[in-house]
Amino acid sequence: ELVKERTAELEISNKELESFSYSVSHDLRAPLRGIDGFSQALLEDYSGQLDAQGQNYLNHIRESTQLMGKLIDDMLELSRITRAEIHRQEVDLTPMAHSIVGEVRRSAPQREAEFIISSGLCVNGDRTLLHALMRNLLENAWKFTSNTAGARIEVGSCQQDHRTVYFVKDNGAGF
């Protein structure tokens, strides 16, 4: 009986959290669109009156608002993913990693980075959750190697204590 009560309470809390997330994301998007739009208008309409530093500041403002928008999207996606039913299946991470690497490369085509992705990285898990995990790990590796000459990002596996361990590692800023 106690388990049923707790489960019902959790379901109510999850619905309230979902509603809150959507409300917050909507409320945050409106001012972000305004900041981004006015910054773009300044760049377009007054670029001749701004020096290079002023234009650089406005570009940084636009990049930051767009990043915040992406963070909001990611928060909503994560809340949707974690509520969905898990479907375990055999998933090859190799083509998934190559696809995500293509996306991050397109986000900054001028950047140089070496990607080493092992073949045959097969795991058993939920494809959607694994994709979210791989995207997060690879985007972090991409971000934290942005100031590294000779950036190198590797996706692979190794044996440890008779188990296969999968990894994404890079030579960027560590913590």
Side-chain angles (χ1 to χ4, degrees), residues 107-135:
S107 73
Q110 72 285 357
R111 261 205 59 204
E112 294 289 329
E114 177 184 13
F115 283 91
I116 299 149
I117 302 171
S118 297
S119 60
L121 297 173
C122 294
V123 299
N124 188 292
D126 183 275
R127 178 177 300 279
T128 303
L129 290 173
L130 289 166
H131 188 273
L133 172 68
M134 289 296 294
R135 184 167 27 88

Side-chain angles (χ1 to χ4, degrees), residues 15 21 47 58 75 83 111 170:
K15 287 181 182 180
S21 295
S47 62
L58 285 172
M75 179 186 73
R83 285 188 323 274
R111 261 205 59 204
D170 62 75

Side-chain angles (χ1 to χ4, degrees), residues 58-174:
L58 285 172
N59 282 320
H60 282 298
I61 291 169
R62 294 201 65 221
E63 288 170 10
S64 294
T65 58
Q66 291 165 9
L67 175 61
M68 179 61 82
K70 184 176 179 339
L71 291 172
I72 292 168
D73 290 341
D74 291 348
M75 179 186 73
L76 288 173
E77 180 183 348
L78 183 60
S79 73
R80 280 192 299 272
I81 288 172
T82 56
R83 285 188 323 274
E85 186 177 331
I86 293 177
H87 298 285
R88 294 182 69 89
Q89 61 182 303
E90 189 74 13
V91 178
D92 188 348
L93 299 177
T94 301
M96 185 183 291
H98 281 292
S99 173
I100 295 166
V101 165
E103 292 171 21
V104 297
R105 282 189 183 276
R106 283 189 292 280
S107 73
Q110 72 285 357
R111 261 205 59 204
E112 294 289 329
E114 177 184 13
F115 283 91
I116 299 149
I117 302 171
S118 297
S119 60
L121 297 173
C122 294
V123 299
N124 188 292
D126 183 275
R127 178 177 300 279
T128 303
L129 290 173
L130 289 166
H131 188 273
L133 172 68
M134 289 296 294
R135 184 167 27 88
N136 187 281
L137 292 172
L138 286 165
E139 285 177 352
N140 281 345
W142 180 252
K143 177 171 59 175
F144 290 114
T145 57
S146 64
N147 296 321
T148 303
R152 177 185 165 124
I153 300 168
E154 186 176 352
V155 180
S157 67
C158 63
Q159 291 296 311
Q160 195 172 63
D161 298 327
H162 307 289
R163 298 176 76 189
T164 304
V165 176
Y166 298 88
F167 60 83
V168 174
K169 63 182 179 180
D170 62 75
N171 65 343

